[in-house]
Amino acid sequence: MQNNVLILDFGSQYTQLIARRVRELNIFCEIKPYNHLPDDLSDYKAVILSGSPFSVRADDAPHPDLSEIKGKIPLLAICYGAQYLAHFHGGNVAPSNTREYGRARLTSIDGNEPFFYEIREGSQVWMSHSDTIKQLPENALKLASTEDVQNAAYKIEGEITYGIQFHPEVYHTKQGKLLLENFLVHIAGLQQTWTPDAFVETTVEELKNKIGSDKVILGLSGGVDSTVAAVLLHRAIGDHLHCIFVNNGLLRKNEFQEVMDQYEHMGLNVKGVDASARFLNALAGEDDPEKKRKIIGGIFIDVFDDESHKVDDAKWLAQGTIYPDVIESVSATGGPSATIKSHHNVGGLPDFMKLKVVEPLKMLFKDEVRRVGATLGIEDERLGRHPFPGPGLAIRILGDVTEEKVNILQEVDAIFINGLKEWGLYHEVWQAGAMLLPVNSVGVMGDERTYEKCVALRAVESTDGMTADWVNLPYEFLQKTSNEIINKVPGVNRVVYDISSKPPATIEWE
């Protein structure tokens, strides 16, 4: 990639959003931890410094060596990044006298500065810091203020270096995307050429060069990510791709056969493997969410190892890993951000498995995967399928997993998902599912007292899964769905609806 932006992560909760906004401009970017700078910076045409939960005045604050970046590569420093440049280059950063969190309005904008081209006086921005820049760094020129922040934006004269105290990446900064475009396109001179067509062309060529005539095994899940990865690989290496679709006993009702039937029409070489008993036996008695994920990941590896020996000279294992999986599993590629949860398809393979890993989608967000899939000619129905967790219903059954619980949840889930489709609500929702809770509650059916399970329904709207909000489904739909679940699924006498956003909650309950 010669048209590339490097985002240095200082641990901000917003770092991933910076990447999203840059990608929306059709410019490729990568997140790297502040303490692991790439050895070769020649591919990067601009650098962005993220915010951070740290104070630049703290002894343990992130302190990277920017000597090969500042003044040499166009640089935009956001929040902590702006304070960092000030603190270590002749300025002064001190605790704020007033609370600087939330909405603010830009004032005193330098109208001649291309950084603020078409940015309106009074434009709303989002602040999130406890320190403030009292004195600008050497050779700096103030570009804008707010009511409470004197030095809200500045530039270093003689360099293409800009610092801002606010966050252009968040939704609440109304013209944040325009500001990023001004910096990256009009000032740094990057071209907006990173499109789905360009990604497909480049990636297919890279896969051909990397894999050659080797054989590749790909684990299909039936979801968007693995399907797009399969079609992309098939375009690159054709029949050298061997796809395996595993029934782990934790899929949706009738999903195994339905997905196998769909893949038959896509020209892919797919083998179905029923390993449901193997997974359920391994999960017996385990109620810890992380251990359940790791058990499932381990069994997947074992199954693929078994199947790989049946394919002569298989050299590669392909996975549909996408960028949010990587970010949530390894803290923004190893930086200081908090790890959220592990993903079964992230983290490499054990030494005994003699396959190399290829992950053609690992730098894409979910919405980007869908756009790439459309470019590859995959039908809308397949691309519009809701995301489904790799560990399947195991992490939607809170507590230990049994075949009986799986059967209950499959029936509940089928009623919920089919209902969304019948009511024309399915495509208004980004992801939906049901959770089986580890509690019984009292109820009355007829004249008899019941003491049965409670299920929680969840439906969220999102673009990439990094943030999400609950969907305000019609009361009439929820009423009908609840009645149908309680009447048709033995063992369930209570239905609730989850109205939590992400953050602070996650989409899944485990």
Side-chain angles (χ1 to χ4, degrees), residues 8 10 34 49-50 52 54-57 61-67 70 75 77-93 131 133 137 154 163-165:
L8 289 185
F10 292 97
Y34 76 91
L49 307 183
S50 82
S52 176
F54 292 93
S55 166
V56 295
R57 299 176 296 104
H63 187 10
D65 178 7
L66 301 180
S67 59
K70 184 177 178 296
L75 176 64
I78 297 173
C79 196
Y80 177 91
Q83 295 172 359
Y84 180 87
L85 294 184
H87 183 70
F88 289 104
H89 294 86
N92 180 33
V93 176
D131 288 344
I133 299 172
Y154 65 85
I164 52 177
Q165 282 277 263

Side-chain angles (χ1 to χ4, degrees), residues 336-358:
S337 302
T339 299
I340 307 300
K341 60 189 175 185
S342 65
H343 288 263
H344 76 279
N345 58 338
V346 177
L349 299 173
D351 292 337
F352 71 80
M353 195 170 184
K354 307 303 181 184
L355 293 176
K356 296 174 284 186
V357 175
V358 57

Side-chain angles (χ1 to χ4, degrees), residues 181-201:
E181 182 177 3
N182 286 343
F183 171 72
L184 293 172
V185 178
H186 303 305
I187 295 174
L190 277 78
Q191 297 179 343
Q192 296 171 279
T193 56
W194 195 70
T195 63
D197 288 319
F199 174 83
V200 170
E201 181 180 352

